[in-house]
Amino acid sequence: MDRELLKGSTPLLLLSLLCEGPMYGYQIIETVRHRTGGTYTLKEGALYPALHKLEATEFISSYWETQENGRERRYYAIQPAGLAFLTAKKKEWNQFVDMVQAFVGPKA
Amino acid sequence: MDRELLKGSTPLLLLSLLCEGPMYGYQIIETVRHRTGGTYTLKEGALYPALHKLEATEFISSYWETQENGRERRYYAIQPAGLAFLTAKKKEWNQFVDMVQAFVGPKA
DNA sequence: CCAATTTGCCTCGCGTGGCGAGGTCCGTCA
DNA sequence: TGACGGACCTCGCCACGCGAGGCAAATTGG
């Protein structure tokens, strides 16, 4: 998968995922990897900065949770502002896809 | 339109357009502007470097053509290698869209 | 029991690509 | 003559993803 195509889609992905409930970083990576059948692996160098940025803008929040074995995980949860932002982003995404589709022709 | 989303889609757009026949820079910009109803304006700072890069890799070729009034235009035409590249890019594009769609949910 | 792997977090430098602003030349039209 | 628009281009900035690296603790396996 061409990395250039991915640019800008990360926040959309993350917010969409977090809509389903809080998740921690590693879990996000694994989830994406599994759901895409391995074709797409979110890289840590892309994930964590993106997560931190979304938190800085209050679109998501984070909290540490200790597991039974004593280890800690940092969970991220979507915030109201993030939900609104997601809605806007989705609209933008659809516009974008329609736009490109109009030039390259429909999928089939 | 979020600029980050656009990244990487430019070669796809250009090759798709040039499939319909040779075009010159300014014309490409205007065509895109019109076809999208003005929602998307290809910027010169994105277009020309992209065009030159595609030419450097032999995906397109260019030639100058003099108009009746004496002014010159630089036309770009797709090459066989470009056509092959376009096919691959399209496939990649569809994969990408499907991937994101799988997370944000279908358009409707 | 120790080593290697996995889980889990993170940062930093690099390359890339779009953008805004700038620049140039020339034809046309008021 | 001067302003506008067509038509080409470049350059510095910023944002992003990537690869590589670092660290620490739990788990697994020989």
Side-chain angles (χ1 to χ4, degrees), chain A residues 33-69:
Chain A
R33 212 166 56 76
H34 276 116
R35 282 211 208 165
T36 60
T39 54
Y40 178 41
T41 302
L42 232 189
K43 306 306 186 311
E44 301 193 345
L47 173 68
Y48 289 111
L51 242 17
H52 298 158
K53 195 165 201 178
L54 285 172
E55 189 178 15
T57 48
E58 312 258 316
F59 289 154
I60 62 178
S61 64
S62 77
Y63 54 92
W64 291 89
E65 204 167 286
T66 310
Q67 312 174 60
E68 296 170 5
N69 62 18

Side-chain angles (χ1 to χ4, degrees), chain A residues 9-20 51 54 59-60 77-79 81-87 89, chain B residues 103:
Chain A
S9 62
T10 312
L12 186 62
L13 265 192
L14 294 181
L15 292 176
S16 293
L17 261 181
L18 293 181
C19 257
E20 304 172 14
L51 242 17
L54 285 172
F59 289 154
I60 62 178
I78 196 162
Q79 295 299 107
L83 213 56
F85 184 68
L86 175 57
T87 306
K89 271 296 172 201
Chain B
F103 287 98

Side-chain angles (χ1 to χ4, degrees), chain B:
Chain B
M1 178 86 65
D2 178 10
R3 58 158 148 277
E4 291 305 326
L5 234 20
L6 274 343
K7 290 198 179 179
S9 63
T10 311
L12 187 62
L13 264 193
L14 294 181
L15 292 175
S16 293
L17 260 182
L18 293 180
C19 258
E20 305 172 14
M23 298 181 80
Y24 58 96
Y26 193 86
Q27 182 188 12
I28 293 176
I29 291 177
E30 288 305 300
T31 303
V32 170
R33 213 167 55 76
H34 276 115
R35 281 211 209 164
T36 59
T39 54
Y40 178 40
T41 303
L42 233 190
K43 306 307 186 312
E44 302 194 344
L47 173 68
Y48 290 110
L51 242 17
H52 298 158
K53 197 166 201 177
L54 286 173
E55 189 178 15
T57 48
E58 312 257 317
F59 289 156
I60 62 177
S61 64
S62 75
Y63 54 92
W64 290 89
E65 205 168 284
T66 311
Q67 311 175 59
E68 296 170 6
N69 62 17
R71 296 212 55 185
E72 294 205 286
R73 286 168 176 164
R74 184 172 195 174
Y75 280 85
Y76 293 90
I78 196 162
Q79 294 300 105
L83 213 56
F85 184 69
L86 174 58
T87 306
K89 270 296 171 201
K90 271 191 191 179
K91 196 172 294 178
E92 208 176 88
W93 164 258
N94 284 323
Q95 267 182 22
F96 169 59
V97 172
D98 287 346
M99 192 269 285
V100 178
Q101 224 79 300
F103 287 98
V104 308
K107 191 157 48 175

